[in-house]
């Protein structure tokens, strides 16, 4: 049960009890109806009053769901941190070694926004890294933009080693010529400005998060300043895939 569903049940219980009490007080739909209903059931108004108090003050369904969500959140966080620890272990093989906080894992969710009410965009739900530096840059890509956007478009794993491009595409003209020759997907459909903004992250990997109907609902991404050859391995990809399955089962509620 989702938290929103639990709240709806509590509000529905409160509404039914309140309508019952109001109907009894104002003889709606009729006095005869209530006389017949309460015949031999004089306790019924007290029951309705008690239900109104329980659902209004105690919100039992929401309270239960919050406790359940908290337990699941702790379990999920442990699972995510264990997976991220495994990724850090793999990244330790990169030479020279990455700086503390270099390797980052992100959880993205597809959401509709006011500016994109139909297609939606990917929003970053959370980031895991060993420090607060470097700070995440604002990025909410549409479908097909960036490695996460391509993961969304094709609903499959996407990997990019951007290092050769960074070294060769040093000017906007060179960038445009390369796009014209190889197509926009060769630079992840990024503009020159976005390409420059994110040129410090050269090792990019993304795996989809799917719902029960195998529909794309988000993705897990990992990025680093270098070391694509080490990170692009079966162990790390399997870890990302398993995390994606776990997050998808919880529908992002515990991330």
């Amino acid at each position: 049960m989702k938290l929103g569903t639990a709240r709806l049940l509590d509000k529905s219980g409160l509404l039914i009890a309140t309508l019952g009490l109001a109907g009894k007080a104002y003889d709606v739909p009729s006095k005869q109806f209530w006389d017949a209903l309460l015949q031999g059931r004089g306790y019924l108004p007290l029951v309705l009053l008690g239900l109104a108090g329980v659902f209004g003050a105690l919100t039992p369904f929401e309270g239960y769901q919050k406790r359940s969500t908290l337990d699941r959140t702790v379990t999920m966080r442990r699972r995510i941190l264990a997976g991220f620890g495994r990724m850090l272990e793999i990244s330790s093989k990169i030479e020279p070694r990455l700086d503390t906080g270099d390797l980052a894992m992100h959880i993205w969710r597809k959401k509709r926004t006011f500016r994109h009410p139909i297609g939606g965009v990917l929003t970053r739900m959370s980031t895991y890294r060993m420090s607060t530096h470097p700070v995440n840059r604002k990025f909410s890509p549409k479908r097909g933009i960036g490695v996460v956007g391509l993961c969304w478009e094709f609903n499959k794993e996407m990997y990019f080693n951007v290092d050769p491009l960074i070294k060769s595409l040093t000017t906007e003209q060179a960038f445009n010529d390369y796009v014209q020759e190889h197509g926009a997907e060769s630079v992840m459909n990024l503009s020159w400005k976005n390409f420059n903004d994110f040129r410090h992250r050269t090792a990019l990997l993304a795996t989809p998060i799917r719902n029960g109907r195998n529909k794309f609902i988000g993705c897990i991404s990992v990025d680093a300043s270098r070391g694509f050859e080490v990170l692009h391995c079966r162990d790390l990809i399997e870890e990302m895939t398993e995390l994606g399955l776990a997050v998808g089962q919880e529908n992002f509620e515990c991330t």
Side-chain angles (χ1 to χ4, degrees), residues 151-162:
C151 180
W152 174 7
E153 181 173 1
F154 297 108
N155 194 15
K156 69 176 185 178
E157 297 79 7
M158 297 298 299
Y159 319 111
F160 268 89
N161 181 12
V162 193

Side-chain angles (χ1 to χ4, degrees), residues 32-240:
Q32 292 78 9
F33 170 82
W34 285 104
D35 288 342
L37 182 64
L38 295 177
Q39 187 174 7
R41 304 185 187 90
Y43 57 84
L44 189 57
L46 293 177
V47 171
L48 291 174
L49 184 61
L51 289 175
V54 168
F55 285 109
L58 301 181
T59 57
F61 288 108
E62 181 179 353
Y64 172 80
Q65 184 61 23
K66 282 184 176 179
R67 290 191 296 272
S68 175
T69 300
L70 179 61
D71 292 339
R72 294 188 348 255
T73 297
V74 171
T75 302
M76 177 60 72
R77 290 287 171 84
R78 288 175 178 171
R79 175 67 186 86
I80 291 174
L81 290 175
F84 183 58
R86 176 59 180 148
M87 295 177 192
L88 289 173
E89 182 182 347
I90 294 171
S91 71
S92 66
K93 301 174 184 176
I94 298 174
E95 294 294 342
R97 300 195 63 166
L98 296 176
D99 295 334
T100 301
D102 192 321
L103 185 78
M105 182 183 73
H106 313 274
I107 298 177
W108 304 80
R109 184 176 188 177
K110 185 178 73 171
K111 282 188 174 182
R112 292 184 175 91
T113 64
F114 180 76
R115 294 182 61 184
H116 304 281
I118 299 177
V121 295
L122 287 174
T123 59
R124 202 185 328 244
M125 301 294 293
S126 55
T127 293
Y128 296 84
R129 58 167 26 112
M130 291 299 291
S131 73
T132 57
H133 180 79
V135 179
N136 290 332
R137 302 192 181 191
K138 187 177 180 181
F139 189 50
S140 297
K142 295 187 293 184
R143 185 170 184 168
I145 306 298
V147 67
V148 291
L150 288 172
C151 180
W152 174 7
E153 181 173 1
F154 297 108
N155 194 15
K156 69 176 185 178
E157 297 79 7
M158 297 298 299
Y159 319 111
F160 268 89
N161 181 12
V162 193
D163 188 57
L165 297 180
I166 297 297
K167 292 177 179 177
S168 60
L169 306 181
T170 56
T171 66
E172 185 173 4
Q173 184 60 51
F175 178 86
N176 292 335
D177 291 344
Y178 186 86
V179 170
Q180 186 172 3
E181 180 179 356
H182 300 280
E185 281 187 13
S186 64
V187 292
M188 299 171 286
N189 294 311
L190 294 173
S191 65
W192 168 247
K193 181 182 182 303
N194 283 337
F195 183 79
N196 261 334
D197 287 343
F198 297 101
R199 65 189 299 129
H200 61 294
R201 314 302 285 171
T202 69
L204 306 174
L205 305 95
T207 59
I209 298 172
R210 304 182 178 99
N211 61 15
R213 295 173 295 169
N214 204 38
K215 185 178 179 181
F216 181 96
I217 56 175
C219 65
I220 304 279
S221 72
V222 171
D223 58 76
S225 62
R226 62 181 185 278
F228 177 83
E229 296 80 5
V230 173
L231 296 176
H232 187 214
C233 66
R234 179 176 179 178
D235 288 345
L236 189 136
I237 293 169
E238 285 184 350
E239 196 63 55
M240 293 174 65

